[in-house]
């Protein structure tokens, strides 16, 4: 039966982490310094049993070393290495603390304390007057040596050497492991040869720097590992453990030496130390522990192979659990897996070895000792330091728990005999209490793990959905299904609405989910609206607008509806392109705070799946005035109508005025602002053919299509309300039954316009075969409106004809070609107009340009036969 | 294209302000640290680059070209000073192309040489010409920094005309006109005249080094001597003298070479390399006293605190070291570290009989190695012997100066370090080619066991000598015996391998080891024999001395003593034969360093 550990919580500090490198630095009298990977360093006074001071560094702290002699600490931050004179600070602190003794004083470390300007230093070490920094630069590890000044007042730290070691590709370890475990850091320690103390002339200074990262190794082992020359030169050896598992060494004072690899653990090194200390104070065993529990013991094997001399024996083994942190005392290696604190008795192994015959059994025995560390039943320890052995044989450790508590852990005497069965009742009750608290801890940890697993499952499910949906949509694009049959499709409707006496056009998007998947958290509908012609924006910046709508569980069969304002009356440039896509973003899946904490770069990463791209043209944006409605509107909403007419009047005036002033007398001869008009002529045969399939669904309408008047009407109806490419003009109040083949409307820029369809005969004068033709005429006083509408009408007729050609084959090809040409021309003209308005040119030029466009439009009556 | 007139002025004002700021920083740059200079340089180059991008945002135009080229020049100077050569080169190329556009030629080549020729031709005799020349200066500097000397050679004539024009101070046209234009023209970070001067001498130095490397010494010599008359800083002139000296040394004219080195030192007292080269020549000439003197001077110069560059009219953004980066030059200018100079000094002193002085140097060296200030920062592979050998050499030197106690202490140190690691049995294999290589590169664990054994044995041998020196024959025998016991642990793998001492010039590692081993066997046996003789144990003495002669027949001492023992044993004929044989041997062979002393 093992004795139980007593855990005494000394202090609690605000600290939420668990993913940072926590370090405890002891040896400053009664002060203990704790850095937790944040910007803060806590100074805990053992005498007062509380945190006396908090040092605030400018950036997150990576490592911390101290010079007890001079009461200096060096702190490696993200931004550089800072030097803090602790004594000075604490003295100042004590004087100021006399009045406010309850709360710890907060001391800001200013930029003045910066001594080395290298960023991202991962480890520090102080050897005598030399400060060593280890950091990763591009493709190599860089160990840099700085000379610390003799006077503490001076801040100059001269770099006088650096050593390179190329980075090898990192050891493949579970991503989840590295994410949750302690942050990958490096370890830097200093090994002195055992007999340095005896012969070193500067004994005092060497003694003072000996701290938790300095070890004295038995001379023989030292020579075996680092060479005779290092021993003869009395050089300390720097040992560094890297995240790629390598253990490298550098004899500090040997001329011409370089960083060499001693061993590789093949997993991130998280602890290096020396133990099994003899009476002379020399450690006999070098221990290196990897993050995933691989431990290497390096000892002297007095009887090497083939009866030769002594060799260094490397024993590798695996101890259970991830190693979060570790510390050593004279004979044991203590480490924490997060779930438990374990003790590895290194002395036991060596004893066992000595008692046995030498040979293969020795390594077996040591490995066996590695297999069975004894559990101390203390969980959630993430940093350990300062093992101290009391006279009674108890070992005391200082630890920091994952919950941010500084704990004093008292371990029972090393090898307790079985005599502890008869415990006094007080001790029994204490141990029961300990057990209960341990159970509580374990329980808490278990529940945390459960929630983690649950959320991971959830993530996986969502990701699976995302991938399935992606494949579904990708299959769509390859097979090219018609829009109606796509599993996830969207269509649009335009509608005018009136808000605060201002007309605005809004586009309603319907997304129908007929796929078997639920679109849930993480999915978004993104709609980009951008003008078709870009020349209108003068500065060249694209004037597209982006809308995105997150989904909340859009189940199969459901339809999602989103309405987006695309233009207020008068300030839109039509036609515009609307492209919509589904976006799946990882960041919203993971949850904001986790993303912010761990992956700063992930925020923008998402999967975007395009759904469809369509065009909203002038016909979609028309505001139709029904013959009755015009009148009604005039009475009911006089103000807006009046405003409109005033607007029209003003703009026409303005145009005239400017024209007059610029062109002088010439323009006076010009007629009043005329109505611009454009027309499209289509063979009525084609129209009849194409409109037929739609009408034929109505049983009795077959005959009425013969009537030319009816044909015109249905064409107009088709033009105004037809669902092209998934965009439909919304119903304008009550559905207007078009009584005549003339429609009055207002365009999105507010211009009144007339759209009339009538049948005429054109073929008469030019050719003998008479062709019944339907003319679609557009009239408006606004040139832009005419052009825009003309373009829209041509597009519609083109789609009509395309559906017709499927049946009526080759004869119509020529006509379509003509139509296309006309369409192109109209597009050019519109861009010219926009260009004319957009560019900063003189009004004279603008007028001339507009006139030429207009004339061209008139010159080319679009005849489609 | 219409431009508001203020733009040009604004830009040129911006350029002038930047240049002034740059110059201010450099003028005050003596005091501030290298870091600070670097950062201010970085700032300047980014600002210039920003300005340049603004200017180049519009199509090239004659009115702007002058300003544009000036800004290109400034930007490139800053880039080059930061060793961003490719960026600078790209800018230059773009600038040339734009010049061609302005002058109505089109560039359809990517070859820089052709481009430059075209650019110079098209700009010829226009107002742009001097500015294009300035840019060519920079291109020159870039080629020099990147050691593309052949490009410089290709454009030799353009370069020389450039030198004339730039150094005359004005371009074409009448002086007054030029002056008027110059006052209006945008400021430059570095005066083109100064840059050209710097480039001329640096090119001469680099070309000289290159030619010297290719063995065209006499050609290099005339060039370098011509270059030494060019206006430049002392350090650069010293380099020309130094390289002339090297050429002369290469042409087997050591005395003239020495004169050149002396001139270099007179020009620039910090030219350590000249000192080092002179030392090598003294060594070659066998002038030991002078060599020791030179070594001593060299060491004390190297121990001086690093020189702060003397400020000559403000620090220029382009330093000569940037332009003199060729490998052949740096090889010529390299100087060993202070420690290895000290070692050479110590060894030379001891070998030339100035033992007391040598001992002092040895002790200095060991103290330096043990001091806290010593750190493993020498990037170059050290020429120092390995530590135990250094100890043994120092110990032997101490014994020479009759300090056997100190010597024994050194030997004890070596023994205590190495003895534990000496294996029970060492197999010395037949010498293999290709094993050679740097012993320090070997892994420590597999550190040469043979070397370890030889060190320990040698330490015992020297200790034996110490006792012999003190006439403590019994102790001497003990130590010689220990030495022999260690030496017999070595087994030769190849049976029919001749245990004959290879020629002294064999440098294959194991061959050398074997040679040392045999020699040490001979010496230790001989000296045990001698000790036995002193103790009147003549039989043992005879056995040892004869074994010694077998192992190492060249050691005359053993032969003489063998004769002596035989004589004492009354075997006079044999003694006579032995002596005769010994005298007939030509004795002088080079022996391991710490053994020749005996």
């Amino acid at each position: 039966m093992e004795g139980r550990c007593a855990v005494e919580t000394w202090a609690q500090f605000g600290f939420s982490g668990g993913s940072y490198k926590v370090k405890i630095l002891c040896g400053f009298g009664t002060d203990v310094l704790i850095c937790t990977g944040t910007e803060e360093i806590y100074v805990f006074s053992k005498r007062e049993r509380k945190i006396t001071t908090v040092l605030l560094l400018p950036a997150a702290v990576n490592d911390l070393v101290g010079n007890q002699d001079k009461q200096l600490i060096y702190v490696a931050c993200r931004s550089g290495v800072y030097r803090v004179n602790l004594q000075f600070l604490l003295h100042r602190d004590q004087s100021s603390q006399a009045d406010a003794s309850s709360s710890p004083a907060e001391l800001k470390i200013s930029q003045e304390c910066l001594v080395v300007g290298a960023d991202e230093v991962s480890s520090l070490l102080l050897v005598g007057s030399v400060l060593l920094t280890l950091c990763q630069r591009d493709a190599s590890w860089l160990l840099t040596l700085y000379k610390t000044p003799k006077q503490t007042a001076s801040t100059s730290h001269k770099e006088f050497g650096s050593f390179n070691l190329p980075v090898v590709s990192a050891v493949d370890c579970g991503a989840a492991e590295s994410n949750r475990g302690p942050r990958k850091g490096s370890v830097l320690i200093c090994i002195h040869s055992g007999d340095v103390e005896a012969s070193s002339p500067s004994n005092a200074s060497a003694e003072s720097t000996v701290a938790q990262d300095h070890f004295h190794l038995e001379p023989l082992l030292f020579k075996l590992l680092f060479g005779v020359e290092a021993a003869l030169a009395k050089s300390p050896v720097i040992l560094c453990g890297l995240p790629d598992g390598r253990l490298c060494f550098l004899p500090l004072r040997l001329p011409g030496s370089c960083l060499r690899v001693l061993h590789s653990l093949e997993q991130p090194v998280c602890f290096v130390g020396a133990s099994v200390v003899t009476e002379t104070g020399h450690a006999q065993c070098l221990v290196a522990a990897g993050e995933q529990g691989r431990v290497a013991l390096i000892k002297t094997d007095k009887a090497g192979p083939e009866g030769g001399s002594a060799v260094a024996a490397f024993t590798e083994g695996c101890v259970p659990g991830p190693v979060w942190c570790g510390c050593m005392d004279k004979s044991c290696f203590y480490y924490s897996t997060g779930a438990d604190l374990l003790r590895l008795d290194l002395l036991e192994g060596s004893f066992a070895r000595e008692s046995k015959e030498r040979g293969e059994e020795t390594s077996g025995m040591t490995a066996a000792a590695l297999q069975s560390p004894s559990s101390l039943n203390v969980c959630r320890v993430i940093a350990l330091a300062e093992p101290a052995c009391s006279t009674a044989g108890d070992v005391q450790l200082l630890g920091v728990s994952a919950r941010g508590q500084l704990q004093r852990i008292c371990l029972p005497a090393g090898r307790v005999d079985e005599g502890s069965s008869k415990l006094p009742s007080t001790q029994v009750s204490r141990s029961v209490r300990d057990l209960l608290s341990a159970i509580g801890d374990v329980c808490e940890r278990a529940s945390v793990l459960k929630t983690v697993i649950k959320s991971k499952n959830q993530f996986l499910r969502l990701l699976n959905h995302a991938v399935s949906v992606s494949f579904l949509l990708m299959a769509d694009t390859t097979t090219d299904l018609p829009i109606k049959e796509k599993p996830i499709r969207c269509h649009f409707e335009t509608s005018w609405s009136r808000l605060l006496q201002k007309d605005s056009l809004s586009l309603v998007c319907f997304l129908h989910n007929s796929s078997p998947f639920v679109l849930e958290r993480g999915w978004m509908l993104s709609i980009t609206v951008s003008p078709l012609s870009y020349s209108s924006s003068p500065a060249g910046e694209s004037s597209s607008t982006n809308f995105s709508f997150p989904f909340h569980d859009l189940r199969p069969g459901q339809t999602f509806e989103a309405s987006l304002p695309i233009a207020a009356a008068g300030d839109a440039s039509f036609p515009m392109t609307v492209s919509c896509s589904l976006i799946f973003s990882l960041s919203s899946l993971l949850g904001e705070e986790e993303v912010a904490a761990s992956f700063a770069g992930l925020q923008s990463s998402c999967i975007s799946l395009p759904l469809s791209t369509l065009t909203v043209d002038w016909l979609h944006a028309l505001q139709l005035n029904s013959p009755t409605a015009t009148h009604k509107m005039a009475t009911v909403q006089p103000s807006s109508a009046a405003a409109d007419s005033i607007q029209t009047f003003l703009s026409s005036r303005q145009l005239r005025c400017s024209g007059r002033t610029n062109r002088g007398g010439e323009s006076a001869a010009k007629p009043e602002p005329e109505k611009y008009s454009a027309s499209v002529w289509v063979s009525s045969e084609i129209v009849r053919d194409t409109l037929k399939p739609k009408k034929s669904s109505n049983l009795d309408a077959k005959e009425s299509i013969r009537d030319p008047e009816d044909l015109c009407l249905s064409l107009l109806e088709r033009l105004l309300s037809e669902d092209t490419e998934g965009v439909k003009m919304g119903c304008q109040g009550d559905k207007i039954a078009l009584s005549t083949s003339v429609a009055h409307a207002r365009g999105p820029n507010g211009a009144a316009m007339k759209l009339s369809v009538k049948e005429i005969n054109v073929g008469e004068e030019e050719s003998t075969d008479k062709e019944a033709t339907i003319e679609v005429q557009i009239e408006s006083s606004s040139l832009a409106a005419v052009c825009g509408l003309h373009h829209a009408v041509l597009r519609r007729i083109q789609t009509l004809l395309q559906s017709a050609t499927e049946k009526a084959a080759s004869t119509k090809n020529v006509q379509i070609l003509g139509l296309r040409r006309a369409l192109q021309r109209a597009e050019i003209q519109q861009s010219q107009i926009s260009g004319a308005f957009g560019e900063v040119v003189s009004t004279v030029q603008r007028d001339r340009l507009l006139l030429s466009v207009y004339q061209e439009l008139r010159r080319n009556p679009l005849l489609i036969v | 294209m219409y431009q508001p007139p203020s733009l040009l002025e604004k830009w040129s004002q911006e350029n002038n302000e930047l240049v002034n700021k740059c110059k201010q920083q450099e003028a005050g740059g003596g005091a501030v640290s290298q870091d600070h200079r670097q950062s201010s340089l970085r700032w300047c180059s980014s600002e210039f680059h920003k300005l340049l991008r603004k200017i180049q945002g519009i199509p090239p135009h004659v009115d702007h070209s002058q300003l544009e080229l000036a800004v290109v020049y400034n930007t490139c100077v800053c880039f080059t000073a930061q060793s961003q050569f490719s960026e600078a080169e790209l800018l230059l190329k773009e600038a040339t192309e734009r010049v061609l556009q302005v002058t109505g030629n089109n560039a359809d080549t990517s070859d820089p040489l052709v481009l430059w020729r075209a650019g110079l031709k098209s700009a010829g005799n226009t107002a742009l010409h001097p500015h294009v020349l300035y840019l060519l200066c920079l291109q020159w500097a870039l080629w020099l920094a990147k050691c593309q000397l052949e490009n410089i050679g290709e454009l030799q004539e353009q370069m020389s005309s450039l030198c004339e024009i730039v150094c005359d101070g004005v371009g074409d046209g009448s002086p007054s006109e030029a002056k008027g234009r110059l006052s209006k023209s945008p400021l430059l970070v570095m005066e083109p005249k100064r840059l050209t001067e710097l480039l001329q001498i640096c090119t001469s130095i680099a070309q000289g080094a290159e030619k010297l490397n290719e063995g065209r010494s006499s050609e290099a010599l005339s060039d370098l001597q011509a270059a030494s008359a060019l206006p430049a800083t002392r350090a650069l002139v010293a380099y020309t003298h130094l390289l002339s000296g090297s050429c002369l040394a290469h042409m087997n004219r050591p005395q003239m070479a020495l004169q050149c080195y002396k001139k270099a030192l007179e020009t620039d007292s910090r030219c350590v390399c000249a000192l080092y080269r002179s030392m090598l020549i003294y060594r070659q000439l066998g002038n030991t006293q002078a060599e020791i003197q030179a070594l001593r001077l060299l060491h004390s110069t190297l121990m001086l605190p690093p020189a702060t560059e003397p400020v000559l009219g403000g620090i220029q953004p382009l330093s000569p070291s940037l332009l003199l980066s060729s490998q052949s030059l740096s090889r010529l200018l390299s100087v060993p570290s202070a420690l290895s100079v000290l070692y050479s000094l110590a060894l030379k002193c001891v070998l030339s009989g100035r033992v007391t002085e040598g001992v002092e140097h040895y002790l200095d060296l060991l103290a330096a190695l043990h001091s806290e200030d010593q750190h493993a920062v020498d990037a170059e592979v050290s020429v120092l012997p390995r530590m135990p050998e250094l100890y043994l050499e120092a110990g032997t030197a101490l014994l020479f100066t009759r300090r056997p106690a100190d010597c024994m202490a050194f030997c004890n140190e070596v023994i205590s370090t190495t003895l534990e690691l000496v294996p029970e049995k060492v197999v010395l294999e037949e010498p293999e080619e290709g094993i050679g290589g740097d012993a320090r590169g070997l892994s420590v664990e597999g550190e040469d066991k043979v070397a370890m054994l030889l060190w320990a044995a040698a330490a015992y041998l020297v200790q034996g000598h110490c006792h012999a020196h003190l006439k403590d024959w019994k102790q001497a025998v003990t130590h010689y015996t220990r030495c022999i016991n260690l030496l017999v642990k070595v087994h030769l793998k190849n049976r029919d391998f001749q245990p004959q001492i290879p020629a002294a010039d064999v440098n294959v590692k194991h061959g050398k080891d074997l040679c040392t081993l045999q020699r040490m066997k001979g010496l230790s046996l001989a000296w045990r024999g001698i000790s036995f003789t002193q103790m009147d144990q003549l039989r043992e003495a005879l056995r040892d001395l004869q074994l010694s002669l077998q192992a190492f027949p060249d050691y005359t001492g053993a032969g003489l003593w063998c004769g002596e023992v035989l004589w004492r044993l009354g075997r006079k004929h044999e003694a006579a034969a032995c002596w005769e044989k010994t005298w007939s041997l030509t004795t002088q062979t080079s022996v391991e360093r710490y053994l020749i002393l005996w």
Side-chain angles (χ1 to χ4, degrees), chain A residues 236-303:
Chain A
V237 172
I238 308 302
L239 203 57
C240 63
L242 299 176
D244 55 22
R246 279 178 301 176
L247 209 58
C248 307
F249 74 95
L250 169 81
L252 191 60
R253 294 203 191 120
L254 205 61
S257 60
C258 55
L259 259 181
R260 272 182 284 169
V261 178
L262 181 68
H263 189 64
S264 179
L265 276 180
E266 285 161 7
Q267 50 182 257
V269 178
C270 74
F271 178 81
V272 185
S275 184
V276 193
V277 179
T278 57
E279 294 77 32
T280 51
H282 302 154
Q284 288 183 314
C285 178
L286 199 62
V287 180
E291 211 174 76
Q292 284 145 57
R294 183 173 296 187
V295 173
L297 303 180
I298 306 165
K299 292 181 182 178
T300 315
D301 194 349
K302 288 255 166 50

Side-chain angles (χ1 to χ4, degrees), chain A residues 111-419:
Chain A
Q111 209 66 32
E112 290 161 26
C113 298
L114 184 77
V115 288
V116 175
D119 42 342
E120 287 298 344
V121 170
S122 66
S123 287
L124 283 179
L125 183 66
L126 204 56
V127 182
S129 62
V130 181
L131 177 73
L132 292 104
T133 64
L134 181 67
C135 51
Q136 194 178 353
R137 288 275 175 278
D138 304 327
S140 60
W141 286 96
L142 196 64
L143 185 69
T144 316
L145 275 61
Y146 296 93
K147 187 113 206 136
T148 62
K150 293 264 189 291
Q151 292 85 25
T152 50
S154 133
T155 56
S156 70
H157 284 56
K158 215 178 77 189
E159 176 185 334
F160 65 93
S162 64
F163 300 90
N164 262 327
L165 190 72
V167 168
V168 295
S169 57
V171 185
D172 187 45
C173 57
E177 203 69 44
S178 64
N179 199 5
R180 292 197 57 251
R183 215 171 57 123
K184 272 191 215 165
S186 49
V187 187
L188 210 53
I189 64 164
C190 180
I191 305 277
H192 300 268
S193 174
D195 45 23
V196 157
E197 282 153 294
S199 56
S200 170
S202 54
N203 200 356
S205 70
E207 196 68 61
S208 67
T209 54
V210 172
Q212 58 203 54
D213 40 15
H214 287 250
F215 298 93
H216 286 272
L217 204 61
E218 178 202 21
L220 181 55
L221 185 56
F222 186 91
K223 277 183 284 186
L224 284 171
L225 293 178
F226 311 124
V228 178
E229 293 193 77
L232 267 179
K234 315 270 185 279
S235 164
V237 172
I238 308 302
L239 203 57
C240 63
L242 299 176
D244 55 22
R246 279 178 301 176
L247 209 58
C248 307
F249 74 95
L250 169 81
L252 191 60
R253 294 203 191 120
L254 205 61
S257 60
C258 55
L259 259 181
R260 272 182 284 169
V261 178
L262 181 68
H263 189 64
S264 179
L265 276 180
E266 285 161 7
Q267 50 182 257
V269 178
C270 74
F271 178 81
V272 185
S275 184
V276 193
V277 179
T278 57
E279 294 77 32
T280 51
H282 302 154
Q284 288 183 314
C285 178
L286 199 62
V287 180
E291 211 174 76
Q292 284 145 57
R294 183 173 296 187
V295 173
L297 303 180
I298 306 165
K299 292 181 182 178
T300 315
D301 194 349
K302 288 255 166 50
E306 302 169 16
S309 64
V311 291
F314 288 73
T315 313
E316 272 203 17
C318 276
V319 293
V323 179
W324 280 58
C325 58
C327 73
M328 301 219 116
D329 72 355
K330 289 195 164 170
S331 60
C332 297
F333 170 47
Y334 301 92
Y335 71 94
S336 169
T337 60
D340 199 357
L341 182 66
L342 296 161
R343 173 171 58 196
L344 199 63
D345 198 336
L346 301 167
L347 209 53
E348 203 170 65
S350 55
F351 273 153
R353 199 193 64 178
E354 273 164 35
S355 65
K356 290 274 169 186
E357 294 290 308
R358 62 179 168 83
E360 280 156 30
E361 277 169 273
T362 57
S363 58
M365 279 310 294
T366 328
L370 282 176
Q371 290 299 329
S372 55
S374 50
S375 167
L376 299 170
N377 290 320
V378 182
C379 69
R380 317 189 112 220
V381 176
I382 55 167
L384 280 173
E386 205 194 24
C389 213
S390 74
T391 45
D394 284 353
V395 177
Q396 295 191 331
L397 297 175
L398 211 52
V400 172
S401 79
R403 277 178 293 185
Q405 287 174 335
L406 182 66
Q407 296 170 332
R408 160 66 84 197
I409 304 162
C410 295
L411 311 179
R415 278 162 293 282
V416 190
D417 289 324
E418 252 65 355

Side-chain angles (χ1 to χ4, degrees), chain A residues 128-130 145 147 160-161 163 202 205 220 223-229 231-234 249 251-257 260 307-309 312, chain B residues 339 369-378 380 382 384 386-388 391 413 416-418 420-424 440 442-445 447 449 452:
Chain A
S129 62
V130 181
L145 275 61
K147 187 113 206 136
F160 65 93
F163 300 90
S202 54
S205 70
L220 181 55
K223 277 183 284 186
L224 284 171
L225 293 178
F226 311 124
V228 178
E229 293 193 77
L232 267 179
K234 315 270 185 279
F249 74 95
L252 191 60
R253 294 203 191 120
L254 205 61
S257 60
R260 272 182 284 169
S309 64
Chain B
L339 283 182
L369 282 172
H370 283 158
S371 82
E372 273 207 36
D373 296 330
Q374 163 59 32
H375 294 292
V377 290
D378 305 317
E380 52 154 346
S382 169
L384 286 178
R386 305 186 63 185
M387 283 300 269
Y391 267 67
E413 192 87 10
S416 68
T417 344
T418 50
E420 284 176 304
L421 304 178
V422 173
E424 284 299 306
R440 283 164 206 274
L442 293 177
S443 76
V444 174
E445 210 191 343
E447 196 169 28
K449 298 281 181 196
M452 209 78 78

